[in-house]
């Protein structure tokens, strides 16, 4: 069992974002210019999440777009976002987007479903880069996959309470029937790194019991943490239920957006990725290395954690 992460549970705690270490990655001309050094650097795709869940999107982006540099921020010190009120999720997301904007990203991905539901429209005006979420891509994939027209959605309390998936699914196909279930215990399990323990399989099976009685043929994993639990969820739901993760579809959207605007990286060198988190850096690195093992083999990674300091409010 992995060590349990340090939690910053105070909702009133103030945070102070520390500036990233000034690091320059030399690339070919035609990329972004670093103002301090005058050398060319590769503009990254910035990806944020409430914790480690966004690594599922990182994995797909690395697989589909191996020449793109990634800067990732996981707010592990303040996860989970699901039980938090909307205004708090918006504030946290704004803080992280402001931090990531320092890297001059070509695109920002809000890889947290709760943050997408509550904060996506609030943060878009704050930066010049396009900001995309993960709800619409996942919903679109589910509409294509379902045969019966009845789709299940599991997510955090905040995502389910927002009704975001139901609205998007209905906008894509008005005849879709949606059965939603909040699974508040899932994110803490993933943040502890306990993906495959017998206790995890028991908790997942018990939580999903209500969905076993619903006439769904497709289940949206409406939280980017949930693909870590895909084996346990599949075991609980049975082989006839198709599981939909938004990560693959989101990566396709990113690729299409960058291609349409002629912003795909054409550089031949291997990018250097940067990862930040706000909580237990050792646990974060352990989970990230396990999940991204194939994608990061032989790829340089810079771990710069933590970059948030919690102070009493």
């Amino acid at each position: 069992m992995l060590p349990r992460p340090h939690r910053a549970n105070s909702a009133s705690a103030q945070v102070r974002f520390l500036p990233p270490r000034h690091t320059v990655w030399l690339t070919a001309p035609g990329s972004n210019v670093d103002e301090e050094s005058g050398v060319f650097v590769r503009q990254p795709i910035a990806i944020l999440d409430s914790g480690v869940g966004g690594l599922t999107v990182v994995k797909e982006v690395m697989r589909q777009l191996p020449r793109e540099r990634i800067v990732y921020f996981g707010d592990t010190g303040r996860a989970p976002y699901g039980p938090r009120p909307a205004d708090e999720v918006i504030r946290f997301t704004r803080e992280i987007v402001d931090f990531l904007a320092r890297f001059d990203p070509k695109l920002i991905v809000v890889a947290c479903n709760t943050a997408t539901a509550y904060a996506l429209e609030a943060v878009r005006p704050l930066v010049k880069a396009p900001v995309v979420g993960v709800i619409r891509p996942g919903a679109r994939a589910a509409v294509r996959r379902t045969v019966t027209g009845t789709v299940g959605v599991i997510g955090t309390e905040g995502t389910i309470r927002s009704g975001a998936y139901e609205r998007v699914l209905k906008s894509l196909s008005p005849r879709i029937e949606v059965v939603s279930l909040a699974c508040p215990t899932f994110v803490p399990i993933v943040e502890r790194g306990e993906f495959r323990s017998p206790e995890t399989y028991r908790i997942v099976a018990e939580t999903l019991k209500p969905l076993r009685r619903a006439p769904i043929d497709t289940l949206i994993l409406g939280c980017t943490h949930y693909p870590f639990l895909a084996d346990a969820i599949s075991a609980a739901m049975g082989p006839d239920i198709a599981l939909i993760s938004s990560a693959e579809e989101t990566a396709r959207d990113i690729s299409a957006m960058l291609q349409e605007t002629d912003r795909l990286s054409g550089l031949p060198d291997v990018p250097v990725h940067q990862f930040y988190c706000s909580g237990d850096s050792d646990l974060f690195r352990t989970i990230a290395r396990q999940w991204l093992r194939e994608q990061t083999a032989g790829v340089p990674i810079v771990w710069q954690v933590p970059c948030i300091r919690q102070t009493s409010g």
Side-chain angles (χ1 to χ4, degrees), residues 5-8 49-53 72-81 96 191 225 276-281 283-284 287 305-306 308 310:
H6 169 72
R7 293 278 181 230
D49 185 66
S50 63
V52 301
Y72 181 85
F73 186 95
D75 199 5
T76 52
R78 299 185 292 193
Y81 280 10
I96 299 168
E191 289 290 321
H225 284 73
Y276 295 84
C277 75
S278 58
D280 186 325
S281 59
L283 180 62
F284 176 81
I287 294 172
V305 291
I308 290 184
Q310 301 281 346

Side-chain angles (χ1 to χ4, degrees), residues 200-220:
T200 291
Y201 273 70
R202 186 194 66 77
I203 292 171
V204 169
E206 186 67 26
T207 302
L208 296 180
K209 268 185 179 179
L211 283 182
R212 292 292 303 273
R213 297 188 291 270
I216 65 172
D217 69 341
T218 303
L219 179 61
I220 297 176

Side-chain angles (χ1 to χ4, degrees), residues 22-43 67 69 265-274 300 302:
H22 182 67
T23 312
V24 176
W25 313 121
L26 298 178
T27 64
S31 303
N32 193 41
V33 177
D34 184 274
E35 294 179 356
E36 294 185 26
S37 66
V39 300
F40 293 97
V41 295
R42 189 193 307 249
Q43 270 188 296
R67 296 299 178 188
R69 174 185 163 212
S265 175
L267 300 173
D269 58 309
V270 177
V272 180
H273 307 298
Q274 290 167 277
V302 176

Side-chain angles (χ1 to χ4, degrees), residues 48-51 54 81 89 109-117 133-135 159 224:
L48 68 93
D49 185 66
S50 63
Y81 280 10
V89 174
V109 183
V110 180
C112 171
N113 283 264
T114 305
T116 297
V134 290
I135 289 178
T159 298
T224 48

